[in-house]
Amino acid sequence: MSRVKVLYDFQGEPNSAELTITVDDVLTVTNTEVGEGWWEGTNARGQRGLFPAAYVEVMPMAPPPAAGPPKMPPPPLKASVPVVQQQQQQQPAQAPRYDQTADDWGEQQDGEWDDDWDDDQDTYSEIGPASGGGHQGQASNNQNGNFQSSNYYANANLPAVPVPNDGDGISLASTAVGGTRRATSSSKIFSSKAADAYLMGLSVPAVSESDRVQILQTDAGIVWKPMRDGYTVTVDSPKKEKKFNGLKSFIAYQLTPSFNGIAVSRRYKHFDWLHEQLVKKFCLIPVPPLPDKQISGRYDEEFVEHRRVQLQEFVDWMCRHPVLSTCGVWMHFLTCTDEKKWKTGKRTAEKDPLVGTTFCAAIFPPDKTLLTSQVEPQIDTCTQFVPQMAGGVKTLVQICADETKKFQTQWRQDYQRIGEGFSELARALEIDERRQTTQLSLSNSVGHAAGIFIAIGQLFADQPKHDFIPLGDRLHIYRGLLGGYPDALAEYRNGVQKRKDCKKLTAEQKMENSQLAEVNRRVDVMSYAMLAEMAHFRAERDTHLKDTMRNFIGAQIEFYKNIVRRLEQAQGHF
């Protein structure tokens, strides 16, 4: 049994098998095969339980004892044992895993779920209809583990937590309130060979009618064909559930599409799988980001409700996109309630041939050939615009975090300190007023003013959930989308470069004109797709950001009006 030293504090969930550990504790590891990133061990007090393996480091073995007096040589071995066999004999038997069953969301050969410290990375096979859907009242955690949702921003009281790094790996919304999650990867994930195969006019998979995506030329420009029937999806009723006979817990959210009214139960891990498939499939369409993952406090009511709000932002953006909202993997995620059908659909999505640049085979734009002079200026403008907006978003995210912290700590304390000072003055005045009764009690007036200043301090503490935190949640969407544009633009640039290479080959009579025409057509498809996506982003941005700014400024106006009303009340006592 090895010993490990604790690097980070970890608070075990009450009434579970998790072990609370503290920095510099020394633990004895009893089982490293628990699975999903957990080890089992005991502390110095003899308490035994599970802890995250990434929170500890293995301590070096003690040095061997000093050499003693010479010993008699050991008796000769009766027969030599092969080295491999010796190692097999010396290797201890593997301890049984806590989870002996295959993941019902896909066996190992179909690909493992990403390992993560978030509880939502545990295996959970229930994908059927929600057991208790519907829209509930205020957020509360009842005996059945249901987190009943209402307006999060009107009820939450989020503490400001220091950001653990420079913020690049933190969600914007979570940064404003102190959560953590890995940043959406912007690394290039598409195979250049697959992209080249499509661009060079090689055969592509057959495209069904339901997979076809239309692009239109309108008076407003090049756009995705609008959805025939728009719809919405509500994310509601987060519910705490358990597995491994109560050893592990997780949160399931209920999603209800407006087109059928049937709620399905989905965990964060399922959202994570969906997001991975979407990013893999749509190389020219930036996918909205998910909320960050969290290590501690993941069952806290306020955190669960905040995550629900962020997931709702993700779902809303998906529903408004003409292409993303109708793709097969998204509809499967929203509607599947049967275990076997889910597994079949999951494998189908993971083996989808129309991914990356090859997805362009499913795009059907107008027949008109686009001129380079028509496309390149718009692409160049987008290339300049994206980093500029990303920088502005990053700055605003940091402002949201800073202002949230100021409101909830510094300014709350300052106004409450003013109130306490007036309260102390009122007590002193009351002592003197006992000598002689006056018509107007100054001590009472000062005391009322003291109470009002203390109340104003609480208004500051509560205000971020009405303005800066919602603003951060909205900005989180833009940070993820803008982070996806460099890859999309790189895919497009690769296509343009390939076309130039083919023109050169044709001029050298190393490529047929018919082949070049097909390359031109396919690069044209990519051009249409980029222009359509840029137009959609701009339209969404204009509407979405206007709504965001209107709500933020409105909340600020109401906040300061409320303070003025309180101060006028205080003034009325004099």
Side-chain angles (χ1 to χ4, degrees), residues 8-271:
Y8 310 103
D9 292 341
F10 172 75
Q11 183 67 37
E13 189 69 18
N15 303 320
S16 73
E18 297 175 358
L19 179 67
T20 296
I21 57 178
T22 308
V23 174
D24 292 334
D25 280 357
V26 176
L27 311 176
T28 300
V29 179
T30 57
N31 184 5
T32 60
E33 300 296 329
V34 175
E36 300 176 342
W38 295 86
W39 286 358
E40 183 187 59
T42 57
N43 59 19
R45 298 181 293 279
Q47 297 170 324
R48 182 171 180 168
L50 306 178
F51 56 88
Y55 277 42
V56 300
E57 66 175 355
V58 178
M59 300 177 65
M61 299 295 291
K71 297 182 180 179
M72 294 295 292
L77 295 174
K78 293 183 180 179
S80 61
V81 181
V83 174
V84 174
Q85 186 176 344
Q86 292 180 33
Q87 292 175 347
Q88 291 175 346
Q89 291 174 352
Q90 294 170 4
Q91 185 176 358
Q94 271 195 350
R97 291 170 57 94
Y98 276 75
D99 181 8
Q100 295 282 1
T101 60
D103 189 339
D104 287 337
W105 279 74
E107 288 78 4
Q108 185 172 356
Q109 60 266 31
D110 291 321
E112 295 290 346
W113 293 102
D114 290 337
D115 199 7
D116 195 280
W117 293 127
D118 192 284
D119 66 289
D120 297 313
Q121 293 301 306
D122 302 329
T123 305
Y124 175 48
S125 62
E126 181 188 345
I127 56 92
S131 57
H135 304 276
Q136 304 295 333
Q138 278 195 338
S140 63
N141 185 5
N142 62 25
Q143 293 178 351
N144 296 325
N146 289 304
F147 293 84
Q148 298 175 345
S149 306
S150 67
N151 187 336
Y152 164 74
Y153 297 121
N155 296 289
N157 183 18
L158 295 171
V161 181
V163 179
N165 60 23
D166 64 0
D168 285 338
I170 308 300
S171 107
L172 309 186
S174 296
T175 301
V177 297
T180 63
R181 182 187 186 261
R182 72 185 188 281
T184 300
S185 173
S186 60
S187 59
K188 192 173 181 64
I189 65 170
F190 306 112
S191 167
S192 59
K193 291 183 179 179
D196 290 350
Y198 168 78
L199 292 169
M200 294 302 292
L202 300 181
S203 61
V204 295
V207 180
S208 66
E209 188 65 31
S210 61
D211 286 333
R212 292 187 170 216
V213 175
Q214 301 286 337
I215 294 179
L216 306 178
Q217 175 78 57
T218 68
D219 293 339
I222 295 169
V223 298
W224 299 111
K225 183 179 180 180
M227 291 179 289
R228 185 179 64 180
D229 299 311
Y231 65 91
T232 59
V233 175
T234 57
V235 182
D236 214 337
S237 304
K239 182 180 180 182
K240 184 177 180 181
E241 299 185 8
K242 296 181 181 293
K243 69 169 190 171
F244 296 157
N245 294 323
L247 288 177
K248 291 293 296 174
S249 302
F250 54 85
I251 303 297
Y253 299 85
Q254 319 312 317
L255 278 72
T256 310
S258 61
F259 55 75
N260 64 6
I262 300 174
V264 294
S265 180
R266 297 289 183 262
R267 294 171 54 193
Y268 181 87
K269 122 182 195 174
H270 306 146
F271 279 93

Side-chain angles (χ1 to χ4, degrees), residues 197-199 201-204 518-526:
Y198 168 78
L199 292 169
L202 300 181
S203 61
V204 295
E518 182 61 17
V519 171
N520 283 331
R521 188 191 70 81
R522 296 191 178 192
V523 174
D524 248 18
V525 171
M526 297 181 71

